C-alpha cells in the first residue's frame, strides 16, 4: 500500500516536470527542497508511530488478561493475542470491525449498552460481569474492567476493555459450596446419632445395667471420634489451602509402608469384590513421611475401587530406580472423561461420575495427595484413554533421600 | 396382633437406636442395611410401615427402593417415612408419595415415634 505521502511525492514530481518546461531546470532544485524536507520528516514520524504501536502491541500481548479496544459505537478496533486465544479466533480480522456486542450473549447486550454508555461519562468501570459468546456459539463467564481512552482534547475516543475469564473461579466457587454442604452432612450424621442416644438415656424410666451402660457409652464415644475425624479433615484441607504441607519424614522400609496400606485396604474393602494385585521390586529404605505415603497409595486405590465397575481389579506396582520411587496404580474402571481430565487435581473438584457414586465426597483426595507429592519434589500424572475396560493408570515418581 | 416396622438404614448405630426406641413402644422391628435386602424382606412379609433412609450403599438409594415398591401390588401401599440427613430431597420424596420427610439432625426420637404412630395402618 502507498501512503498518502507517496502520492504527494508523485504529484510533486509531475508538477516539477511541468514547471521545468515553463521555468527551466534550476527551479526544480529549489522547488524540490521543501517537498523533500516534508517527506523525510513524515517518514520519520510514520516510523516512530509504527515503533510506538509495536511497543504498545507487545505490552498488550504480554498481559495475562485479554484486552479489547472498541470505538465509541462499540465496534472492535484492536484485540490482543489473549483475546484471540480466549475467543478461539483464527485471525484478528475475524473480529476487528465487528460489533463488540456480538461477543456477549443476547441477554447481556442491553445491559452492556447501558454500562458502556455510563462508562463514557464516568471514565472507568470495574467488575462488569458478562457471559461471553464465541463465534462457534460456545459461552464462558467473564469479568471486565473498562476505561475510556480520550483524544488530545480530552474527548472520549475509544473504550478499552480488560477481560478476565472466570470459568475456573466459578467452578471452584461451586465446588466449595458443595464441599461445605458435604462437610455439614458428615457432621450431621454423628451429631444426630449422639442426640438420639442422649435423648433415649434421659427418657429412660429404669436405670441401665452396668453392661448396657458401657455399650451405650462406647457407641457414643465412637460418634465423638467420627466428629473429630471430620473436623480434622476439614482443618487439614484449610491448612493446605494456605499452602502448608506438614511432613514428618522418618526412616522407613518402603515395602512395609505400602504393604501395610494395601492390607488395611483389602480388609476394609471386604464385600466390594476388589482384587488388589501388588507387585514390587527391591524398594529398600528411605526418609519419607510414612503416613503421607500411605495416604497417597490408599487414596489412589480408594478412587480406583470407587469409580470402577462391580468386578474390579486394581493393579499396584512399585519399583525403585536409584533414588526414585516409582508407583503405578491401575484400574479397569470407567476412566476419566477427556473434558474432566485437566481438572481432577483441582481443589474441591468432583467429576460427574464421582458425584454419582459418592455424593458425600469432599473433592479433596487428589488435591491433597498432589500437595504431598509436590512437597516431596515428586510428580504425579495419569493416563485414561476412555476405552472400554482400559480404566485409568496413575504414575507417581518420588525422589528419595537415601538412608545413611 | 404385632405391628411390624421395617427400617432400611445403613448406619449400624442408627439402626440400634431405632430398634431400641421402637421395641420399647411394643413394635416388632426388622432391619435391613441395603435397599435390595429391604425389598426382599418386604416381599417376604409385608410390614405395617417403612422407615427409609435415602443414602444407601450398593448402588440403590432410598428413591430406587421407593420406585420398586410402587411397582409391586404387595408393597405399594406400605406407608413410608423418609428419615435422612439431606435437606434437599423433601419435595421429591413427598411427590413420590412419602407420608413424611424427617431430617434426622432436626428431629427427636420422640417425634419419630409420634410420626410412626400417626401413619401406621
Amino acid at each position: 500500500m502507498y501512503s498518502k505521502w507517496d502520492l504527494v511525492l508523485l504529484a510533486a514530481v509531475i508538477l516539477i516536470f511541468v514547471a521545468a518546461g515553463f521555468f527551466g531546470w534550476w527551479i526544480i532544485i529549489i522547488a524540490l527542497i521543501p517537498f523533500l524536507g516534508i517527506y523525510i520528516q513524515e517518514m520519520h514520524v510514520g516510523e516512530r508511530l509504527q515503533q510506538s504501536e509495536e511497543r504498545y502491541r507487545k505490552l498488550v500481548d504480554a498481559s495475562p488478561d485479554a484486552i479489547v479496544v472498541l470505538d465509541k459505537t462499540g465496534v472492535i478496533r484492536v484485540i490482543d493475542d489473549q483475546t484471540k486465544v480466549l475467543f478461539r479466533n483464527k485471525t484478528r480480522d475475524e473480529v476487528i470491525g465487528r460489533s463488540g456486542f456480538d461477543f456477549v450473549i443476547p441477554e447481556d447486550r442491553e445491559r452492556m449498552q447501558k454500562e458502556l454508555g455510563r462508562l463514557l461519562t464516568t471514565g472507568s468501570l470495574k467488575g462488569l460481569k458478562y457471559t461471553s459468546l464465541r463465534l462457534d456459539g460456545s459461552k464462558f463467564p467473564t469479568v471486565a474492567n473498562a476505561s475510556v481512552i480520550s483524544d488530545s482534547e480530552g474527548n472520549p475516543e475509544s473504550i478499552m476493555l480488560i477481560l478476565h475469564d472466570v470459568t475456573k473461579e466459578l467452578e471452584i466457587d461451586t465446588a466449595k459450596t458443595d464441599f461445605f454442604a458435604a462437610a455439614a452432612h458428615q457432621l450431621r450424621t454423628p451429631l444426630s446419632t449422639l442426640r438420639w442416644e442422649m435423648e433415649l438415656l434421659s427418657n429412660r424410666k429404669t436405670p441401665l445395667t452396668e453392661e448396657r451402660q458401657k455399650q451405650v457409652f462406647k457407641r457414643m464415644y465412637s460418634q465423638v471420634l467420627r466428629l473429630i475425624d471430620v473436623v480434622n479433615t476439614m482443618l487439614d484441607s484449610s491448612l493446605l489451602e494456605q499452602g502448608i504441607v506438614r511432613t514428618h519424614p522418618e526412616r522407613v522400609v518402603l515395602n512395609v509402608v505400602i504393604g501395610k496400606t494395601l492390607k488395611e485396604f483389602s480388609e476394609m474393602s471386604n464385600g466390594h469384590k476388589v482384587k488388589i494385585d501388588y507387585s514390587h521390586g527391591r524398594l529398600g529404605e528411605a526418609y519419607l513421611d510414612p503416613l503421607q505415603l500411605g495416604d497417597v497409595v490408599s487414596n489412589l486405590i480408594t478412587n480406583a475401587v470407587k469409580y470402577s465397575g462391580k468386578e474390579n481389579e486394581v493393579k499396584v506396582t512399585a519399583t525403585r530406580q536409584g533414588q526414585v520411587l516409582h508407583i503405578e496404580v491401575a484400574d479397569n474402571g470407567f476412566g476419566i472423561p477427556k473434558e474432566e481430565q485437566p481438572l481432577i487435581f483441582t481443589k474441591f473438584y468432583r467429576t460427574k461420575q464421582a458425584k454419582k457414586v459418592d455424593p458425600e465426597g469432599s473433592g479433596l483426595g487428589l488435591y491433597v495427595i498432589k500437595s504431598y507429592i509436590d512437597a516431596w519434589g515428586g510428580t504425579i500424572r495419569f493416563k485414561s484413554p476412555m476405552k472400554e475396560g482400559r480404566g485409568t493408570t496413575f504414575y507417581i515418581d518420588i525422589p528419595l533421600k537415601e538412608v545413611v | 396382633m404385632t405391628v411390624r416396622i421395617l427400617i432400611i438404614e445403613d448406619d449400624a448405630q442408627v439402626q440400634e437406636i431405632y430398634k431400641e426406641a421402637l421395641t420399647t413402644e411394643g413394635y416388632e422391628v426388622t432391619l435391613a442395611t441395603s435397599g435390595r435386602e429391604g425389598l426382599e424382606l418386604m416381599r417376604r412379609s409385608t410390614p405395617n410401615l417403612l422407615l427409609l433412609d435415602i443414602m444407601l450403599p450398593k448402588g440403590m438409594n432410598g428413591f430406587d427402593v421407593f420406585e420398586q415398591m410402587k411397582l409391586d401390588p404387595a408393597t405399594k401401599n406400605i406407608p413410608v417415612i423418609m428419615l435422612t440427613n439431606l435437606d434437599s430431597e423433601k419435595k421429591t420424596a413427598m411427590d413420590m408419595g412419602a407420608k413424611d420427610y424427617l431430617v434426622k439432625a432436626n428431629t427427636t426420637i420422640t417425634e419419630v415415634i409420634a410420626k410412626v404412630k400417626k401413619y401406621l395402618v
Side-chain angles (χ1 to χ4, degrees), chain B:
Chain B
M1 201 189 91
T2 52
V3 178
R4 217 162 59 77
I5 293 165
L6 175 65
I7 296 165
I8 307 181
E9 161 69 58
D10 62 323
D11 188 309
Q13 205 162 331
V14 177
Q15 277 189 348
E16 282 271 315
I17 294 170
Y18 289 153
K19 194 173 178 176
E20 194 177 321
L22 291 165
T23 41
T24 315
E25 292 294 314
Y27 300 117
E28 190 190 312
V29 174
T30 317
L31 301 169
T33 38
S34 74
R36 223 167 292 279
E37 191 190 346
L39 281 170
E40 223 168 89
L41 287 171
M42 252 183 269
R43 281 166 194 153
R44 236 180 280 160
S45 101
T46 317
N48 300 80
L49 184 133
L50 170 65
L51 288 183
L52 180 59
D53 192 9
I54 294 177
M55 306 251 274
L56 291 167
K58 297 180 184 171
M60 193 180 210
N61 65 29
F63 292 124
D64 299 330
V65 175
F66 211 160
E67 254 165 32
Q68 292 283 315
M69 279 174 70
K70 286 208 217 153
L71 297 175
D72 188 341
T75 55
K76 71 173 189 190
N77 292 323
I78 301 170
V80 175
I81 298 176
M82 290 277 200
L83 258 166
T84 172
N85 261 331
L86 296 174
D87 294 298
S88 51
E89 306 301 321
K90 183 165 184 176
K91 194 180 176 311
T92 319
M94 299 311 274
D95 286 352
M96 278 180 88
K99 291 286 179 204
D100 218 322
Y101 184 95
L102 304 174
V103 174
K104 289 174 188 168
N106 302 335
T107 311
T108 63
I109 210 72
T110 317
E111 281 166 336
V112 176
I113 293 166
K115 295 284 183 187
V116 167
K117 282 184 183 154
K118 183 174 172 190
Y119 297 114
L120 262 176
V121 285

